Amino acid sequence: MASTLVDLDQPPYRNEGFCAVLELAVAAARELDPGADRVPAPRASREAGLDERVQREAIRRLRSGTAVNPGLLPLLAEGRFAAGVPDLVCLIAAPGTARARTVLDIVREAAERGERVLLTAPVPPPVDAVIARLPDGATVIRVDQAGSGPGSIDAASAAVQQRILARSQAAARSLEPWLGDPAPAHGWLRRLDNALTEAAEARERAGRAAAHHEATVRAARDRLGAPLAEIARERATAERAAAAAAREVERLTAALRRAETSRLRRWQAGRLRTSLSHAVRHAAAARSAFHTIDSGYAESAREHDIAVGNDSVVRAAAERAAFADLAARRALESAERSAHQLTRMLDGVTARPEWTADEAGLTGFAERCRELEPTLRGRAGLLREWRQRATRPSRQLHGELLRYADVVATTCLGAGRPEHADLEYDLVVVEDAGRVAVPAALVPLVRARRAVLVGEAGRPPLRDVAVVRAWVAARCPAGVDAAELTGLLTGSVFDRVAACGPAANRAGPGPGGTGPASGRPGG
Amino acid sequence: MAEAAHLPMREVVRRAGALPGVRPRRFVPLLLPMWAVDVVAEVREAHSYDVFDRYLSRAVAEAGLRRPAELAAFFGVEPALVTRAVRFLVRIGHLRYDGDDLALTELGHLSIADGRRHVLTPGRRITLRFDGCGGEPVPHAHATHSVWLSEPALTLPDGTVFDPVGPAHPLPPNAVELLLNRPDTADFTGPAVPVQVTAAAPRPVWLPIYAVECEDEPLVFGWAVDGPDPYLRDVYDRHRGQSEAD
């Protein structure tokens, strides 16, 4: 093992003596249990001694302060539990249905909260029992499950790949029009742009043609309007005469009314009546003459309008304006068809932009599509690559699946295998912890922020105490705490923690098998 | 450094003699004055990308997907997996949250462009080396494959005595900063590229070389290169030029 420089004054190294005894316990276990390599390893012949290495690595992490739970070393070495932070809980329960259900609930609830759980035990069967009862939905991986059997990393990888292909199929189909060079959607967007450009040009041409038509009409009116102008003048003269006659009638009527009401002027009344009678007749004649001329004028105006409309120059200008207007409308209709196509291509891809079938609405829609196009092209290309990647069997996925799985299950020593030794967890559950020595338990414990040790009280020692004492008496180096070494070789991690932990860190299975503190050690 | 690491004179004689058209006249063992600066650096290292990490980063960068739920739906994976991958990418500084939206950091952009997952690691102790006549950084191959002496004295077991070329010129105070700002910093620092450093005072070091005077151009042999070393030749020439100018 590589040596590590440590500063004994620093807090992480305050329990250096305990760590040294741990290392000695690992070496002693090798001599006391020869040939007991318990790390599940398909290549065991080449990896002899792996269990010892993973335990030493765990001790190194503990010693150097790089354990995920920084309170683990003082807790194990001094029995110093962080106040109010039950980051290591002992679930004391005899083996059976209630305990299994409690462990299951702890694991399930933690996974449902989005925590990563490491489920371990000294041997595979307790782990298998829990894993078999976990509900579908959570990603559960048995890292020491060889081959492609249920729960193995190969099976999990294949399942993830199948899910990826199935779930992304609809999106891939929707994004297909945005893929390629040139992409169909890009073609429709170009058509929309072209149609809008054409519509704008046609609209401009139509405007010009309309203006030209109006100018032509004005010119034709001027050119053909001389007789009408003469009649208009006569009409105006007649109108003025009629108006003057009417005013004279009004004046005489008022004068007659004044004369009749005045004794001094009553003598004028007779003459005024005679004048008024003449004036009335004259006004009637003037009005009649005006109406006659006005009717003639209206008729002439209609004839003039017809003549202007029938003028060949005016008719040609009108036809050009009509054609230009039609072309503008057709270009806009073409843009609208492209917009409908694009709208269909945006279905299921992104929120569909709203648009109206006028020039402004279609222009706004085209702008939005242009903004979206690079992103959608990127999505389409990326999804195609992703799906192609998902069709290939890949061991590269294994590491990531382990890193991101909800539940990883293995034996205690298996948690330290080099392929996944750098994984960290929110919670580790050590099932049957009463059969796990402290150095072996450290392998999962240094990789998790919180831990639940599950076991029963009063189990026999891990090794024959007399044999261990004899070994310690014969082989324990000077200066090493012999009692500590004996304790580590004969006692389990469960015994050690349960013996020194406060009541808050001990629990039994809840009613109906629900776990301690809802499986939330350390909150 | 063990004595066995030094290149004996006879080996240089053999190498120079094997060169076609080269007629050596004199072999001069010399010590080039150089500078070493020990720094504690935050380094940027490139690792191979994992699959999810790479595609998630690309989705944020290229596909305009900003939220974990969008990413999970797009890739067809479990939201928890995306959440954890995002948490990991945030932790290594590739992604950051801008409100509820994810955004790629500069390190994330660099990683995607490079196709490698760049990770910043603080607290790395490294030694940067500079030549003693202009304060230019020493190429990484020379920095790692050369023998560096802390004293200007070296005598090989065969009696070869190395003499210093002269004193080193002062190292420019911004030499480290200039090195860090170069686009080719990795050529001088190796794959762990320092991005932020806390530098100690420079200390003088000496680099043993053999200057071979020939009938035409001189050659320089060192430890890092099997044949004549053009880099050392350049440093040697500059030292010699400065010595003659002085």
Side-chain angles (χ1 to χ4, degrees):
Chain A
M1 192 190 77
S3 62
T4 306
L5 285 177
V6 296
D7 181 353
L8 294 177
D9 292 334
Q10 292 299 311
Y13 306 113
R14 201 161 51 193
N15 291 300
E16 180 60 22
F18 175 70
C19 293
V21 178
L22 277 173
E23 291 214 357
L24 194 57
V26 173
R30 185 181 60 223
E31 295 188 15
L32 289 165
D33 313 320
D37 198 333
R38 287 195 294 267
V39 177
R43 301 180 300 279
S45 58
R46 282 191 285 135
E47 297 180 335
L50 185 58
D51 62 341
E52 194 174 320
R53 286 208 302 278
V54 300
Q55 289 176 84
R56 287 188 186 281
E57 168 60 17
I59 296 167
R60 187 197 64 76
R61 288 194 191 194
L62 189 72
R63 164 186 271 162
S64 62
T66 55
V68 177
N69 176 3
L72 188 61
L73 179 56
L75 190 153
L76 290 172
E78 307 167 34
R80 187 151 54 87
F81 283 73
V85 185
D87 50 5
L88 203 160
V89 171
C90 286
L91 173 63
I92 305 168
T97 309
R99 185 168 106 178
R101 200 158 52 226
T102 304
V103 171
L104 181 67
D105 286 346
I106 292 170
V107 173
R108 183 176 50 75
E109 287 179 20
E112 284 173 358
R113 287 195 300 271
E115 296 186 355
R116 273 172 50 74
V117 182
L118 172 62
L119 175 63
T120 68
V123 288
V127 172
D128 293 337
V130 177
I131 293 301
R133 296 172 63 186
L134 274 174
D136 291 340
T139 308
V140 182
I141 296 176
R142 281 288 317 270
V143 292
D144 48 4
Q145 178 82 45
S148 56
S152 68
I153 184 73
D154 281 340
S157 179
V160 165
Q161 287 176 296
Q162 281 170 6
R163 277 201 299 273
I164 288 169
L165 290 173
R167 290 177 184 175
S168 60
Q169 192 169 9
R173 198 173 295 131
S174 300
L175 282 167
E176 241 169 45
W178 299 89
L179 199 60
D181 190 21
H186 182 77
W188 281 108
L189 182 56
R190 204 171 51 216
R191 283 187 211 180
L192 173 60
D193 282 337
N194 290 344
L196 284 171
T197 306
E198 281 175 20
E201 288 170 0
R203 178 56 52 207
E204 195 183 332
R205 280 197 298 272
R208 280 201 305 271
H212 175 67
H213 177 233
E214 284 172 16
T216 309
V217 168
R218 276 196 302 275
R221 283 190 185 286
D222 290 347
R223 179 161 40 83
L224 303 174
L228 183 65
E230 180 60 33
I231 297 172
R233 277 193 294 275
E234 288 175 11
R235 177 180 173 275
T237 304
E239 188 177 20
R240 281 196 299 274
R247 280 196 301 275
E248 181 62 17
V249 170
E250 283 175 13
R251 187 185 68 76
L252 289 172
T253 303
L256 178 60
R257 195 172 294 124
R258 280 196 302 276
E260 284 175 345
T261 54
S262 169
R263 281 184 300 178
L264 293 178
R265 293 184 182 175
R266 197 169 291 163
W267 58 273
Q268 293 177 325
R271 187 172 54 85
L272 286 171
R273 278 192 199 95
T274 304
S275 298
L276 179 60
S277 172
H278 287 301
V280 167
R281 280 196 298 275
H282 178 68
R287 204 163 45 243
S288 174
F290 169 69
H291 283 309
T292 304
I293 292 171
D294 186 53
S295 299
Y297 175 77
E299 181 62 26
S300 297
R302 270 195 301 276
E303 286 170 2
H304 176 68
D305 284 346
I306 290 167
V308 169
N310 288 336
D311 184 78
S312 61
V313 179
V314 170
R315 285 178 67 174
E319 280 173 9
R320 276 199 298 275
F323 278 128
D325 185 60
L326 185 65
R329 276 190 277 123
R330 286 197 174 153
L332 207 58
E333 282 167 10
S334 169
E336 192 182 339
R337 279 196 297 278
S338 300
H340 279 299
Q341 283 288 351
L342 281 167
T343 304
R344 276 195 284 278
M345 290 173 175
L346 287 169
D347 264 346
V349 170
T350 186
R352 235 170 32 179
E354 294 297 326
W355 54 276
T356 50
D358 51 30
E359 200 168 339
L362 288 166
T363 304
F365 177 70
E367 276 174 20
R368 180 70 187 128
C369 286
R370 272 195 299 277
E371 286 169 10
L372 286 171
E373 198 220 348
T375 301
L376 297 180
R377 200 175 53 235
R379 276 185 201 176
L382 189 65
L383 192 58
R384 183 174 62 173
E385 276 186 48
W386 173 243
R387 285 172 57 79
Q388 285 172 348
R389 189 76 183 74
T391 55
R392 295 202 303 266
S394 170
R395 292 188 66 80
Q396 201 183 352
L397 276 178
H398 292 187
E400 284 181 287
L401 278 179
L402 285 172
R403 196 198 312 154
Y404 300 137
D406 296 302
V407 181
V408 173
T410 182
T411 58
C412 291
L413 296 177
R417 283 190 63 80
E419 305 92 279
H420 42 81
D422 60 343
L423 298 179
E424 294 182 357
Y425 304 89
D426 299 301
L427 175 69
V428 58
V429 178
V430 185
E431 169 64 303
D432 211 3
R435 293 171 54 200
V436 184
V438 174
L442 281 177
V443 178
L445 289 180
V446 295
R447 291 174 165 81
R449 284 205 295 279
R450 293 171 286 112
V452 176
L453 305 179
V454 185
E456 59 180 324
R459 277 193 57 82
L462 296 176
R463 293 183 181 84
D464 187 319
V465 177
V467 172
V468 170
R469 282 194 178 134
W471 188 94
V472 170
R475 305 288 303 276
C476 184
V480 171
D481 186 340
E484 183 79 282
L485 179 58
T486 305
L488 288 174
L489 288 169
T490 57
S492 70
V493 67
F494 186 83
D495 296 335
R496 187 177 186 92
V497 175
C500 61
N505 293 65
R506 292 194 300 269
T514 52
S518 303
R520 283 178 181 267
Chain B
M1 183 65 66
E3 287 295 315
H6 291 296
L7 186 67
M9 169 85 85
R10 63 177 182 283
E11 178 61 19
V12 177
V13 171
R14 189 190 65 74
R15 289 181 188 179
L19 294 173
V22 173
R23 284 191 286 279
R25 286 199 310 214
R26 197 158 71 102
F27 292 83
V28 188
L30 292 171
L31 295 174
L32 284 179
M34 311 288 267
W35 291 105
V37 182
D38 299 313
V39 300
V40 177
E42 182 179 51
V43 296
R44 190 182 63 230
E45 290 175 292
H47 303 268
S48 58
Y49 246 129
D50 286 333
V51 180
F52 286 141
D53 300 347
R54 177 154 179 258
Y55 278 94
L56 283 182
S57 300
R58 285 184 59 193
V60 174
E62 300 167 14
L65 298 165
R66 300 278 181 268
R67 307 219 169 168
E70 286 178 342
L71 291 162
F74 180 75
F75 287 118
V77 296
E78 305 297 336
L81 192 149
V82 170
T83 304
R84 287 177 188 136
V86 165
R87 198 189 306 161
F88 173 74
L89 290 169
V90 168
R91 184 155 57 82
I92 64 171
H94 283 211
L95 291 177
R96 64 181 163 76
Y97 272 103
D98 189 1
D100 289 337
D101 289 349
L102 288 164
L104 214 62
T105 62
E106 195 181 335
L107 190 65
H109 277 295
L110 175 70
S111 298
I112 287 179
D114 208 15
R116 308 266 294 160
R117 193 180 69 198
H118 289 270
V119 178
L120 296 176
T121 309
R124 186 73 60 83
R125 292 181 184 281
I126 53 179
T127 300
L128 305 173
R129 299 182 189 277
F130 301 86
D131 68 45
C133 55
E136 290 294 314
V138 176
H140 183 60
H142 288 81
T144 51
H145 297 126
S146 298
V147 177
W148 296 91
L149 304 175
S150 55
E151 297 295 332
L154 175 64
T155 304
L156 298 189
D158 61 4
T160 307
V161 177
F162 290 76
D163 293 319
V165 172
H169 288 251
L171 184 69
N174 60 346
V176 173
E177 188 186 337
L178 289 175
L179 169 59
L180 265 52
N181 290 333
R182 290 178 69 125
D184 55 351
T185 307
D187 293 347
F188 304 96
T189 61
V193 179
V195 290
Q196 279 189 331
V197 300
T198 308
R203 55 185 169 84
V205 290
W206 282 266
L207 181 65
I209 61 163
Y210 291 95
V212 182
E213 293 178 6
C214 303
E215 288 189 356
D216 42 12
E217 289 293 306
L219 299 175
V220 176
F221 287 80
W223 274 240
V225 179
D226 282 345
D229 190 326
Y231 167 72
L232 290 180
R233 163 80 193 278
D234 176 56
V235 177
Y236 171 69
D237 284 348
R238 282 190 283 133
H239 265 294
R240 208 169 51 167
Q242 284 189 351
S243 299
E244 286 167 4
D246 293 343

